Amino acid sequence: MKRLFDLAAKLNIELSDKQIEQFQIYYEMLVETNKVMNLTAITELDEVITKHFIDSIALAAVYPEICDSNIRIKVLDLGTGAGFPGLPLKIAFPHLEITLMDSLNKRVKFLQSVIDALELTNITAVHGRAEESARNTAYREQFDLCVSRAVANTATLSEYCLPFIKVGGKFIPYKASDIEEELNQGKKAIHVLGGKLTKVKKLVLPNSDIERSFVFIDKVKNTPKAYPRKAGTASKEPIH
């Protein structure tokens, strides 16, 4: 795990011995649970460190506000799967208040077991579909930041995520390097849902050739009540 410490340092993130130990336990639980449940195709330690842990916390290199423990940021990780990027962000930046949301209950139970094992506070794992949870007043327009590494185009992902973000907050999806055409196709959806595309920040993960694009979408007005549409619509008929 020294490699994790060194790579994080290249992103100007200093991890303590306790945090490294938490990542180690998370890794062991991930690999063990993955034997009976499909959580990740990546299980080799070096790959998990780069492609899951470092990739998740790399947000801090382009959005340093999350590093400031004096700023209260309520974060939603939508479609979190095995906990990425939300759980690594919580381990690296314990002051963040994080909600992990996933549509598969057995994944949520795994996430809860990790939260308990790591004795993390101010983090919850929630079972729910975006289309239904975004209509719940406990979640709708309640978050300062929504992150997602979910595999969906920007138009679809915006319909899932923007309804959760309060006006003045941000939606930052983790995307691959070649993003321009997808963003052009997603501009109408972003606008309709109350967002404004402000910038794209790119970086190469340290000691790798993996390029990552972070898309910054500001929430500038309330999402119309009609959105999100019923389950499955956003992916079948994205707003164009």
Side-chain angles (χ1 to χ4, degrees), residues 138-208:
Y139 300 119
R140 189 177 184 92
E141 300 193 328
Q142 295 299 310
F143 294 91
D144 304 298
L145 173 65
C146 179
V147 292
S148 185
R149 285 204 326 173
V151 181
N153 65 56
T154 301
T156 300
L157 210 49
S158 293
E159 185 166 347
Y160 290 149
C161 295
L162 278 168
F164 289 98
I165 304 164
K166 58 178 76 164
V167 173
K170 280 183 170 39
F171 168 37
I172 308 180
Y174 290 51
K175 287 289 184 181
S177 57
D178 189 14
I179 190 72
E180 282 68 24
E181 187 180 336
E182 184 186 321
L183 290 183
N184 280 330
Q185 291 174 348
K187 273 181 180 166
K188 184 180 179 186
I190 292 167
H191 174 73
V192 166
L193 294 156
K196 181 185 179 187
L197 176 63
T198 55
K199 61 190 169 190
V200 177
K201 291 205 166 181
K202 299 190 175 191
L203 61 76
V204 178
L205 299 182
N207 289 21
S208 81

Side-chain angles (χ1 to χ4, degrees), residues 3 7 11 42 44-59 61-62 149 174-178 201-214:
R3 186 164 167 272
L7 294 179
L11 296 169
I42 300 164
E44 198 267 318
L45 178 59
D46 277 359
E47 279 202 280
V48 170
I49 286 173
T50 300
K51 295 179 179 176
H52 284 328
F53 295 165
I54 292 297
D55 184 44
S56 293
I57 66 175
L59 175 64
V62 295
R149 285 204 326 173
Y174 290 51
K175 287 289 184 181
S177 57
D178 189 14
K201 291 205 166 181
K202 299 190 175 191
L203 61 76
V204 178
L205 299 182
N207 289 21
S208 81
D209 56 1
I210 301 166
E211 292 184 31
R212 177 59 87 190
S213 294
F214 293 93

